[in-house]
């Protein structure tokens, strides 16, 4: 199977048929062997005789090893193996025939075999095709021996495949289409090198990181796998220590200007790495950036557990860039949070990357104080938690004139976002309006930035559609900026179908999608959530977290993680939120300009801590949340009222909790935060419904096209009416939209309603449905209480007994296991049911599973 090589195959056939020889040159995994197979097949079909040899590195020192392995000649006692006998045997195979000699892995061929092939080519004129590695110095023989003559050969470079070609190759190998965003990630990691791409996919499938969904291969997690180490190590095995250090240094600093890299790596080493196709020098505006290729090499270095080596290289970077011994802000953590043990190494890598980027971007800015270097340096300072004064000083320094309008626009927008984040929204909007009015070709970027700032700090502007219009003549970066703002506005307004449509259009535009920020990809998770696809939204978000952390892109990881945390809480999976938030918070300071996602994560962390009984931790998160400057955001979780209401409800103050939620919902709705406003109002009516609230909610729900919100509304209405059948009828919609905890709560509430009405039969049926549903869930700990008071606590002994009840043990069996009397166990059971207001043993078992797991 050869994809994207038809022209090269045709050239190869013409060269051979004209009697010429051919060198097929490519990197490891480029498809050189597959290309040779295709050439041989065509020649064979045309009636050619093919003699195939292969170099083997381990046998390179054994004369005539390749000839013997290919069966050209065999050693035996009657006829000793000599150069002459081997040459005669090869000539016998090709003399007076249309024949070609094909050698794969020529670099590893033994010299004696190559000498015989060369002699045969010269004496009989037999064409020779060899495949060799890219980047090796030109030489006459595999080991580089001097020779007085060199037979000419036509060279075919096996270059990386284009996106569509690689997609076709991967789909052919793995016999199924690949979901588009997954394919983009495969292409990005492999750099278009087909062998690396297939290795990445194969390893990901084995590890469960790629699964088949609806007939297409779809990534569910980051695509890096420890199983790829061997593939990558083979890719870099021929580098000496200096070249390997240089490659890892370039990987550590990220895409950097050639002048910066030159201070870190000697020119000869840079030239060697470029010859080996392990780095590329890419022109960006008036800059020449050095980047490691394929990007999979960067991930390899990041995942190597060699801390001492990495520390040595980071010290070298600081020393050679003139920052040796200088202190740089060390990324801190919020609320005393620490990453779970499994993520501690990852967080350490993020911190190291943050410090390294600060050193590198500072050196580049000081050497060339231009817009693009200022932008990168300010971004690094924000991620490192540098003092406001330091950031402001860089933003306000005039700098040198530069001929990169896009760099100037990006810096102006970052300056406006920073100005808005410190409280001067009017000045930020005025600066953007002045830039837009200048009539620049990038004016649309300033318009998009202004709408975004208004959404983040004030309200959704009524004229957003006019200001964010995209036409056919709009350039790619402008088109991307306008679509970014459109998706934010549409998601905020709860127009999820429209947001998904724009996102799909954006992704399909490959030239514009290059500029898509991680925050926009994260918003697609909220759009999926809004249309009722909670499972898909969570998969999308967690895949984004995984992939972003693989790239050490903490801002994007936090954006995806914030949406993922919302999905988890809505599904009732509180336990998973704690570890996720702890890792994301421990990754370092949050830039002011990303305050919205900071609010979301702190809100989710506070809510979960309070729901799980750790009120002190919840209050610490709330203290940090309320100390953030600026207005509450318009997306779910960006208002501190949710955690405030949760705290009130946990103390049994349901009326005030509901009032806080309703008043916040009204304010959010008025500002254009339709999704978060409706959610807050629904939560208020869930806690303590009032007739006028329900009437207002009914009218507003007509403006929302969201299965997620509609299912929640059905539950709220049924619960307010104490309507058992309606509560049960709400369950399918809740299950379909992923609200596991809420579906369980609906069944339990229905049982309570039936029992209060004296209908014990239907109450038992509802209890049985609740137990059956809980058993069917992938999680055994599901939050079905949400805003219910949590001040009632079971003792450790009561929890222990309740767990054994959940396992199906009888009172005598429990008494025997715990060395208690049966009467003592019965007393504990009575207290448990009285404390929790539960009717029977089955409900005790369900409660302990949903709150404490097994």
């Amino acid at each position: 199977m050869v994809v994207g090589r038809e022209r090269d195959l045709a050239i190869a056939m013409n060269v051979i048929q004209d009697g010429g020889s051919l060198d097929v040159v490519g990197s490891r995994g480029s498809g050189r062997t597959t290309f040779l197979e295709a050439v041989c097949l065509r020649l064979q079909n045309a009636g050619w005789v093919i003699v195939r040899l292969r170099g083997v590195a381990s046998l390179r020192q054994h004369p005539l090893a390749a000839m013997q392995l290919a069966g050209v000649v065999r050693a035996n006692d009657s006829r000793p193996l000599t150069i002459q006998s081997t040459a005669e045997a090869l000539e016998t195979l090709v003399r007076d025939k249309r024949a070609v000699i094909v050698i794969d892995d020529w670099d590893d061929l033994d010299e004696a075999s190559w000498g015989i092939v060369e002699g045969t080519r010269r004496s009989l004129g037999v064409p020779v095709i060899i495949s060799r590695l890219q980047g090796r110095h030109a030489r006459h023989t595999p080991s580089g021996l001097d020779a007085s003559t060199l037979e000419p050969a036509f060279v075919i470079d096996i270059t990386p495949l284009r996106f569509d070609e690689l997609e076709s190759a991967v789909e052919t190998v793995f016999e199924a289409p690949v979901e588009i965003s997954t394919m983009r990630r495969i292409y990005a990691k492999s750099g278009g090198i087909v062998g690396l791409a297939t290795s990445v996919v194969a390893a990901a499938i084995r590890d469960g990181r790629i699964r088949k969904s609806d007939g297409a291969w779809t990534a569910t997690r980051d695509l890096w796998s420890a199983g790829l180490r061997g593939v990558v190590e083979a890719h870099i095995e021929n580098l000496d220590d200096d070249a390997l250090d240089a490659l890892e240094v370039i990987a550590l600093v990220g895409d950097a200007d050639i002048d910066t890299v030159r201070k870190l790596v000697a020119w000869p080493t840079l030239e060697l790495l470029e010859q080996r196709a392990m780095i590329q020098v890419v022109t960006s505006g008036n800059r020449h950036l050095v980047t490691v290729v394929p990007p999979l090499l960067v991930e390899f270095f990041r995942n190597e557990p060699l801390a001492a080596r990495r520390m040595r290289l980071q010290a070298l970077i600081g020393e050679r860039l003139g920052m040796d011994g200088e202190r740089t802000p060390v990324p801190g953590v919020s609320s005393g949070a620490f990453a779970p043990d499994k993520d501690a190494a990852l967080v350490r890598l993020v911190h190291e990357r943050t410090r390294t980027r600060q050193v590198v971007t500072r050196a580049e800015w000081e050497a060339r104080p231009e817009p693009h270097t200022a932008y990168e340096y300010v971004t690094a300072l924000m991620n490192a938690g540098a003092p406001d004064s330091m950031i402001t000083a860089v933003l306000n320094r005039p700098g040198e004139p530069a001929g990169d309008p896009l760099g100037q626009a990006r810096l102006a927008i970052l300056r406006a976002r920073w100005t808005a984040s410190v409280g001067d929204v009017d000045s930020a909007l005025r600066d953007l309006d002045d830039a837009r009015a200048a009539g620049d070709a990038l004016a649309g970027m300033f318009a998009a930035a202004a709408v975004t700032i208004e959404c983040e700090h004030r309200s959704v502007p009524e004229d957003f559609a006019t200001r964010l219009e995209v036409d056919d003549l709009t350039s790619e970066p402008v088109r991307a900026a306008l679509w970014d703002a459109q998706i934010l506005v549409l998601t905020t307004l709860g127009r999820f179908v429209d947001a998904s449509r724009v996102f799909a259009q954006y992704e399909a535009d490959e030239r514009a999608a290059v500029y898509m920020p991680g925050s926009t990809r994260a918003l697609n998770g909220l759009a999926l959530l809004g249309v009722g696809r909670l499972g898909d939204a969570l998969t999308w978000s967690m895949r984004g977290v995984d992939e972003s952390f693989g790239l050490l892109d903490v801002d994007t990881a936090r954006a995806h993680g914030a949406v993922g945390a919302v999905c988890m809480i809505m599904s009732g999976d509180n336990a998973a939120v704690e570890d996720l938030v702890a890792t994301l918070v421990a990754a370092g300071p949050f830039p002011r300009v990303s305050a919205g996602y900071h609010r979301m994560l702190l809100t989710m962390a506070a809510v979960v801590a309070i729901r799980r009984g750790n009120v002190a931790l919840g209050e610490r998160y709330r203290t940090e949340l309320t100390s953030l400057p600026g207005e509450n955001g318009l997306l779910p979780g960006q208002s501190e009222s949710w955690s405030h209401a949760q705290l009130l409800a946990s103390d049994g103050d349901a009326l005030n909790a509901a009032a806080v939620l309703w008043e916040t919902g009204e304010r959010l709705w008025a500002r254009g935060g339709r999704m978060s406003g409706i959610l807050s109002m629904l939560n208020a009516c869930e806690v303590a419904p009032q007739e006028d609230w329900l009437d207002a909610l009914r009218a507003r729900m007509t403006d929302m096209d969201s299965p997620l919100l509609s299912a929640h509304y059905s539950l709220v209405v049924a619960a307010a009416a104490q309507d058992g059948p309606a509560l049960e009828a709400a369950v399918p919609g809740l299950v379909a939209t992923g609200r596991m905890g809420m579906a369980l709560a609906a069944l339990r509430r229905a049982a309570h309603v039936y029992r209060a009405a004296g209908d014990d039969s239907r109450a038992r049926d509802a209890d049985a449905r609740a137990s059956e549903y809980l058993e069917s869930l992938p999680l055994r700990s599901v939050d079905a209480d949400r805003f219910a008071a949590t001040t009632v606590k079971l003792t450790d002994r009561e929890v222990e007994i309740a767990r054994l009840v959940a396992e199906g043990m009888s009172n005598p069996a429990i008494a025997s296991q715990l060395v208690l009397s049966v009467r003592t166990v019965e007393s504990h059971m009575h207290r448990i049911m009285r404390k929790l207001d539960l009717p029977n043993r089955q409900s005790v078992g369900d409660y302990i599973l949903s709150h404490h797991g097994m």
Side-chain angles (χ1 to χ4, degrees), residues 451-472:
V451 170
T452 299
I453 287 175
E454 288 182 55
C455 286
E456 290 176 342
H457 297 278
R458 289 180 175 171
S459 60
V460 176
E462 294 183 0
D463 60 346
F464 74 88
T466 302
R467 294 163 66 181
L468 301 178
E469 185 175 356
V470 179
D471 60 47
D472 295 337

Side-chain angles (χ1 to χ4, degrees), residues 107-406:
D107 305 88
D108 296 329
L109 194 70
D110 64 275
E111 288 289 351
S113 294
W114 176 242
I116 290 172
V117 170
E118 273 286 77
T120 303
R121 172 161 60 178
R122 293 180 188 180
S123 62
L124 300 180
V126 178
V128 175
I129 306 175
I130 69 169
S131 78
R132 58 183 175 85
L133 279 173
Q134 181 180 15
R136 299 292 181 86
H137 293 295
R139 57 201 191 278
H140 302 97
T141 72
S143 64
L145 297 175
D146 291 332
S148 58
T149 60
L150 177 65
E151 291 295 321
F154 189 88
V155 176
I156 290 181
D157 287 314
I158 304 300
T159 55
L161 297 178
R162 299 195 313 266
F163 179 86
D164 57 324
E165 295 168 343
L166 188 68
E167 182 179 31
S168 177
V170 170
E171 290 181 352
T172 301
V173 171
F174 295 97
E175 301 178 340
V178 181
E179 184 259 336
I180 184 65
S181 62
T182 300
M183 190 61 229
R184 285 201 175 115
R185 293 164 65 189
I186 295 167
Y187 183 76
K189 287 187 185 300
S190 66
I193 299 175
V194 65
L196 287 182
T198 54
S199 295
V200 166
V201 176
I205 291 173
R206 281 195 300 271
D207 287 355
R209 296 171 182 272
I210 290 181
R211 302 179 187 276
K212 196 173 284 187
S213 175
D214 296 327
W217 293 112
T218 303
T220 58
R221 298 164 57 196
D222 175 35
L223 298 184
W224 171 259
S225 166
L228 292 170
R229 287 187 60 192
V231 175
V232 178
E233 286 169 347
H235 206 76
I236 60 177
E237 68 174 349
N238 291 318
L239 296 180
D240 61 26
D241 289 344
D242 288 343
L244 192 60
D245 278 1
L247 188 63
E248 187 165 356
V249 163
I250 298 170
L252 281 171
V253 301
D255 296 348
D257 193 275
I258 186 71
D259 292 335
T260 301
V261 175
R262 174 64 189 86
K263 296 175 184 177
L264 302 171
V265 179
W267 277 117
T269 306
L270 274 178
E271 291 171 12
L272 171 66
L273 293 175
E274 188 175 29
Q275 288 171 2
R276 298 282 179 90
M278 291 180 180
I279 63 169
Q280 268 185 342
V281 179
V282 181
T283 301
S284 175
N286 62 347
R287 306 172 70 197
H288 299 287
L289 302 178
V290 181
T291 184
V292 173
V293 290
L296 194 65
L297 294 178
V298 179
E299 290 202 56
F300 167 77
F301 288 126
R302 286 175 181 166
N303 284 279
E304 280 290 90
L306 302 174
R309 172 181 173 80
R310 196 158 45 243
M311 290 168 65
R312 173 176 66 82
L313 295 178
Q314 286 170 334
L316 179 147
I317 292 168
E319 176 185 334
R320 293 189 179 175
L321 293 181
M323 310 293 176
D324 189 32
E326 291 192 28
R327 294 181 59 85
T328 57
V330 178
V333 298
S334 301
S335 301
F338 294 93
D341 289 344
K342 64 183 177 64
D343 291 331
L346 172 63
V347 168
R348 187 169 60 252
L349 273 177
V350 171
H351 289 183
E352 291 171 355
R353 166 72 168 173
T354 300
R355 284 192 289 265
T356 301
R357 285 300 297 166
Q358 187 180 349
V359 169
V360 171
T361 55
R362 174 180 166 181
E364 293 189 342
W365 177 71
E366 289 181 342
R368 298 173 63 184
E370 299 173 354
H372 58 266
T373 57
Y375 179 91
E376 297 293 343
Y377 184 34
V378 168
T379 301
L381 288 173
M382 289 179 179
N383 287 332
D388 291 358
S389 58
M390 185 182 294
I391 294 171
T392 302
V394 179
L395 283 170
N396 292 337
R397 177 169 165 176
E400 299 175 1
D404 178 14
L406 182 58

Side-chain angles (χ1 to χ4, degrees), residues 375 408-418 420-421 425 427-433 435-436 442-459 461 464 467-468 477-486 488-489 593:
Y375 179 91
Q408 294 177 20
R410 292 175 70 211
L411 181 62
I413 290 169
L414 182 61
R415 185 184 295 114
R417 293 184 64 202
W418 173 258
S421 72
V425 178
S427 292
L429 294 176
R430 188 165 51 250
D431 291 345
L432 290 172
D433 192 51
R436 182 190 59 78
L442 301 176
M445 292 181 65
F446 299 114
V451 170
T452 299
I453 287 175
E454 288 182 55
C455 286
E456 290 176 342
H457 297 278
R458 289 180 175 171
S459 60
F464 74 88
R467 294 163 66 181
L468 301 178
V478 176
R479 198 155 64 240
L482 292 169
W483 276 333
D484 291 330
Q486 282 185 23
L488 172 63
V489 168
V593 294

Side-chain angles (χ1 to χ4, degrees), residues 651-693:
D651 287 335
D653 192 355
L655 291 178
N656 276 326
V660 166
L661 289 167
W662 184 263
E663 290 165 8
T664 300
E666 291 271 28
R667 287 195 300 271
L668 289 169
W669 182 274
R671 292 172 58 199
R674 300 292 178 86
M675 180 186 190
S676 53
I678 283 286
L679 279 170
S680 192
M681 294 178 207
L682 286 167
N683 288 338
C685 291
E686 186 183 342
V687 174
Q690 295 184 21
E691 193 61 38
D692 57 330
W693 291 358

Side-chain angles (χ1 to χ4, degrees), residues 382-675:
M382 289 179 179
N383 287 332
D388 291 358
S389 58
M390 185 182 294
I391 294 171
T392 302
V394 179
L395 283 170
N396 292 337
R397 177 169 165 176
E400 299 175 1
D404 178 14
L406 182 58
Q408 294 177 20
R410 292 175 70 211
L411 181 62
I413 290 169
L414 182 61
R415 185 184 295 114
R417 293 184 64 202
W418 173 258
T419 302
S421 72
V422 297
D424 194 355
V425 178
D426 288 336
S427 292
L429 294 176
R430 188 165 51 250
D431 291 345
L432 290 172
D433 192 51
D434 290 344
R436 182 190 59 78
D440 190 276
L442 301 176
M445 292 181 65
F446 299 114
V451 170
T452 299
I453 287 175
E454 288 182 55
C455 286
E456 290 176 342
H457 297 278
R458 289 180 175 171
S459 60
V460 176
E462 294 183 0
D463 60 346
F464 74 88
T466 302
R467 294 163 66 181
L468 301 178
E469 185 175 356
V470 179
D471 60 47
D472 295 337
L473 300 178
T474 306
S475 64
E476 288 84 7
V478 176
R479 198 155 64 240
L482 292 169
W483 276 333
D484 291 330
Q486 282 185 23
I487 291 169
L488 172 63
V489 168
L490 294 172
T491 305
T492 302
L493 291 172
R495 292 171 53 181
F496 306 116
V497 174
D498 289 335
S500 296
R501 173 184 52 76
V502 174
F503 183 81
Q505 183 181 4
Y506 193 172
E507 269 211 317
D509 186 339
E510 293 184 8
R511 297 177 67 178
V514 170
Y515 299 95
M516 185 187 294
S519 56
T520 295
R521 293 192 179 279
L523 286 174
N524 186 54
L526 276 182
L528 290 170
L529 177 65
V531 297
R533 296 168 56 189
L534 189 150
D536 291 340
L538 181 57
T539 298
W540 174 271
S541 300
M542 297 314 297
R543 189 176 76 184
V545 171
D546 249 6
E547 183 72 13
S548 303
F549 266 137
L551 299 172
L552 301 186
D553 180 359
V554 69
D555 282 344
T556 300
R558 283 168 168 162
H560 279 291
V563 176
V566 171
C567 293
M568 290 171 182
I569 284 187
M570 288 195 173
S571 71
D573 184 10
N574 289 344
V577 175
E578 290 183 309
D579 282 354
L580 173 63
V581 172
T583 299
L584 293 169
V585 168
F590 284 75
R592 279 181 178 273
V593 294
S594 300
Y597 292 112
H598 193 183
R599 292 180 192 279
M600 289 175 76
L601 287 169
L602 291 176
T603 294
M604 300 304 110
V607 167
V608 166
I610 295 167
R611 288 184 180 181
R612 292 173 69 84
N614 194 344
V615 176
L617 178 60
E619 288 182 331
R620 286 207 301 274
Y621 279 124
R622 267 191 47 72
T623 298
E624 184 171 354
L625 178 61
T626 55
S627 70
L628 293 179
E631 183 74 35
N632 287 328
L634 298 180
L635 294 175
Q638 291 184 350
S639 168
E640 59 87 25
S641 63
W642 189 351
S643 60
H644 183 198
Q646 191 70 56
L647 190 60
L648 291 171
S650 72
D651 287 335
D653 192 355
L655 291 178
N656 276 326
V660 166
L661 289 167
W662 184 263
E663 290 165 8
T664 300
E666 291 271 28
R667 287 195 300 271
L668 289 169
W669 182 274
R671 292 172 58 199
R674 300 292 178 86
M675 180 186 190

